[in-house]
Amino acid sequence: MGRFNWMGTCAIMSSQKRVKDSQAQKRTSQVSDTYETNPAGEEKEDLNDSKRSLKHGQDNTADDCGHADDQGEDALQIAVRYFEKGSAINTRILKCMIPTTLISEDSVVKAVSWLCVGKCSGSTKVLFYRWLVAMFDFIDHKDQINLLYGFFFASLQDDALCPYVCHLLYLLTRKENVKPFRVRKLLDLQAKMGMQPHLQALLSLYKFFAPTLISVSLPARKKIYFKNSENLWKAALFAVRQRNQGPPPEPLKLMLGPAQVHPVKRKWNSCSVIPVLNSSSCSKECGKKGMTLSDYLSSNGSFPLEQLKSFPQLLQNIHCLELPSQMGAVLNNSLLLHYINCVKDESILLRLYHWLSQTLQEECIWYKMNNYEHGKEFTNFLDTIIRAECFLQEGFYSCETFLYKSLPLWDGFCCRSQFLQLVSWIPFSSFSELKPLLFDHLAQLFFTSTIYFKCSVLQSLKELLQNWLLWLSADIHMKPVMNSPLETTLGGSMNSVSELIQYVGRLSTTAVRLENNSTFLLHFILDFYEKVCDIYINYNLPLVVLFPLGIFYSALLSLDSSILNQLCYIMHRYRNNLTAAKKNELVQKTKSEFNFSSKTYQEFNHYLTAMVGCLWTSRPFQKGLYIDPEVLEKAGIAEYKNSLNLVHHPALLSYAVSFLLQECPEETTVSMSSVRGKKWNWYLDYLFSEGLQGLKLFIRSSIHHSSVP
Amino acid sequence: MDSYDTSESTPRHSASSRLKDYFIGATPLQKRLESVRKLTSFIPTPPRRKIPQCSQLQEDNDPQKVAFLLHKQWTLYSLTPLYKFSYTNLKEYSRLLSAFIAAEKQKGLAVEVGEDFNIKVTFSTLLGMKGTQRDSEAFLVQILSKSQLPYENREHKVLWTGWFCCIFGDSLLETVSEDFTCVPLFLANGAETNTAIVGTWFQKTFDCYFSPLAINAFNLSWMAAMWTACKMDQYMAATEFLWSVPCSPQSLDISYAIHPEDAKALWDSVHKTPGEVTQEEVDLFMDCLYSHFHRHFKIHLSATRLVRVSTSVASAHTDGKIKILCHKYLIGVLAYLTELAIFQID
């Protein structure tokens, strides 16, 4: 503390003009921030100041850490010591004394003590008080200074000092400072000096704190009580702060709020998209009967949000937490998101819903077609929402309705990653209801976009499926049967999930054709089915949906070994799920509505047969697939049957060659057909050792070794 | 932005309990979602509407205040429900808002300290300005300049006016809880900066959200048809349409004025369902105008954009400006605007 910037008066003056405007803006933004918590609001200018003093009072507890620059020489002491040396010097010094950070309370108290030695002139005292008023907000603590209240009050006697001391007292006064003898003194002064605005200010503040003590009527009209003492230092304050540390320090509470303040106040609606965290405006409280403003000020009942900094604090105060005046502010505060997550109050959720819906709609750069230059801002906003959704593990309804409105207008390119993440957080609901609103539009974009877009969509649909499954599995354990007019039965929910899976199946089948069996795309599709095949076991939900033929055969006949390996893994998991389901059915013996139809088993068996035929027995496509022999002959693959097994399968051929070359490295020609009997088993071990774990699981579980060819 | 500590897991079960609420469909939020789905999946506007009837203003209205609202250009906004707004606190709100305005205004005038801000804010209800008894009471906010002279009887000059109303807003009322006051339509007249300050104060105090309410060409055609359909004792202005042709370097405006009685005659010829206006009738009405224009000027107006409609009842501009001229149909005009505002906030 006390680290001041000494700068020449000239420098200050020259910078004054330049910074005036920005300074003015800065100041008001602070004012309007604090204003929300300003319960009285009856005076115009000064209330902000008085409120600030109150606020600082609160901050004391949270802000005990002290300030770093104590080691620096206390410039204020130096300045005040000059009091005895004549006014010219210390006037200049005082005028140039601009704090870079905060002023320690101690140095102020010491400086005040220098006032008492009786060596400084009246004008210096005036300047000092003006300085003190101007720097009031920079003083770190006010408790010690408040102890000097009586001293300051006595200085009111001095006619020259009176206005400035009044101003200081106005900032300093707390409820407990209002005493009958002081009221009498003030009234005496007023009688002596006439109706002075500064005395009126102090009196009205006293009256506000203790209405019973003051019976005289004070004109309510007067708005400006004090000539602005800060003027001398205002510009310099700003200039110094700007030079030293860039943006001026924000009040403490802003640290909890959003850090980014948007540079362009392009619309009056928002200087920052997400509102700053402020405790509920008092106007609501004032409305309650029997609660006066002073009650409100002195009430300790509720816990101000500005002080909420840790999870234990939240737990301790959860019953008396003041809610933000604008619910949108919770998006930037993880502690409040916790609170939102467990709160039962519907109006909190509705406030958030309305705010978020409208903000999304207004900020969305393609919805209103006119503000593409704010793309980055919108992206950031969506990122914030998605972070909150991930944190809550739950989607917002506002985002869902936003998707309804904006998806039909989306180009599939703008904010793609964010937009698709929003899709994956759509809350669980009836698929058939969502389909015309969302998924039909998404399908159109899907079919007409690049392979990368297709993959991204599949990825986000996989995440959507996973989120739905998690919700449902958690819900089933809460309450097994729900009865309500909507789709509330487990069967209904399962239907919805199964429709989602079938929808993805249709997308995938067409996409595979459109993209010529692209391996890249197949990976994403099979990733999705890796989720699907394990629903019964992983989520404990009675649902097994198999993949469509188009996907199965594309994967089975793929040229890529990793696709084949993934397919094997999925088939293995399907088998485990179906076996588990069958076992449960036998155990329960009761006929529940969730017994899988024999069709699912038949379908699986069909796939299994085809796989065994293609990989093991070289007898593929025994059933259900007929190819005209003439066509095969024309294609020169009349003997296709033998070319489909673990050795000849196009995806594994290179493994077979490597295997054989490993056996006899000098050979120039290798005989594929030599892999049989014992060698077949070695070959299998070779494949497994090459990382084809899916294949290993599949063969271990589905093929009995008696059938070695 | 503070970082989320994802290691602190949030309790799962609360999500699922909300899921249950969702299923039961009982919560206001759920109703909200349902209504949005309905609105989005079907045609956005109902294919038929009532022709505004003669004065549906309720008995207890103040004719002076109503007259004040007419013949002024208002900028339209939609407004989400106000949280914890109370009609008994209007005085308190006046005080708080005027202090807020003073604080806001001071920012540009840091040098001129000591100057009093000679403004005053008043809140007052607009009695009787509602469609049904369930509609929230409309209210008016004014910023007045205080005269420098101390004479009480001197008139305050109105610097800015804004009013909030809800006419036949049932669909919105059903989806909010009692903590909220629904006045989805906000109309402002005066400097944009004042609108911004007042709007900001409302947003901060009642956790609501203002969005400018533009009127697209589709809705302008509806207005044209509905307002032409209104019975008038005497016409005060021509029926006029303005189309905009997007071309460079400057867009071209086509103004098309018709004698109001001719417009009414045209309407009567396309109009079939008594007391109602249907989508087909609106289309037919506009098509007739288009073909008439094409016959004379060989210009296809259907390929341009309708930007303004003025009739003796009211005039509306696509960028959300409206002037209501006819006292008789005030409620009818506001009912349609309320509907558009509710559609925007859904």
Side-chain angles (χ1 to χ4, degrees), chain A residues 28 44 269 331-332 405, chain B residues 2 4 107 117 203 210 346:
Chain A
T28 326
K44 280 183 176 178
N269 250 332
L331 276 192
N332 268 336
K405 291 187 172 192
Chain B
D2 56 352
Y4 297 118
K107 70 175 155 189
F117 289 99
Q203 291 190 155
F210 288 80
D346 259 333

Side-chain angles (χ1 to χ4, degrees), chain A residues 347-360:
Chain A
S347 48
I348 291 178
L349 302 175
L350 263 176
R351 284 162 71 188
L352 186 62
Y353 173 89
H354 282 302
W355 174 81
L356 193 52
S357 303
Q358 291 296 293
T359 312
L360 278 168

Side-chain angles (χ1 to χ4, degrees), chain A residues 52 82 167 169 172 225 228 327 535 552 559 592 670 677 698:
Chain A
R52 244 178 277 155
Y82 276 98
H167 197 165
L169 290 174
L172 206 56
Y225 296 113
N228 202 333
M327 209 39 86
I535 293 176
F552 174 75
L559 299 181
S592 88
V670 289
F698 174 75

Side-chain angles (χ1 to χ4, degrees), chain B residues 223-289:
Chain B
M223 288 176 175
M226 284 197 297
W227 296 345
T228 307
C230 292
K231 283 198 189 70
M232 298 290 285
D233 301 330
Q234 72 178 107
Y235 291 102
M236 292 177 295
T239 302
E240 194 188 341
F241 299 85
L242 192 72
W243 278 276
S244 162
V245 186
C247 60
S248 68
Q250 268 185 312
S251 74
L252 182 71
D253 287 343
I254 300 174
S255 161
Y256 183 175
I258 315 164
H259 193 280
E261 277 162 17
D262 294 343
K264 179 77 164 85
L266 173 62
W267 171 253
D268 288 339
S269 72
V270 301
H271 179 56
K272 289 188 190 71
T273 13
E276 278 186 336
V277 180
T278 65
Q279 184 65 58
E280 297 79 54
E281 288 170 359
V282 175
D283 293 343
L284 198 54
F285 178 67
M286 294 308 285
D287 283 346
C288 288
L289 292 173

Side-chain angles (χ1 to χ4, degrees), chain A residues 56-68:
Chain A
H56 277 269
Q58 287 173 358
D59 285 350
N60 284 348
T61 45
D63 192 18
D64 253 336
C65 46
H67 303 282

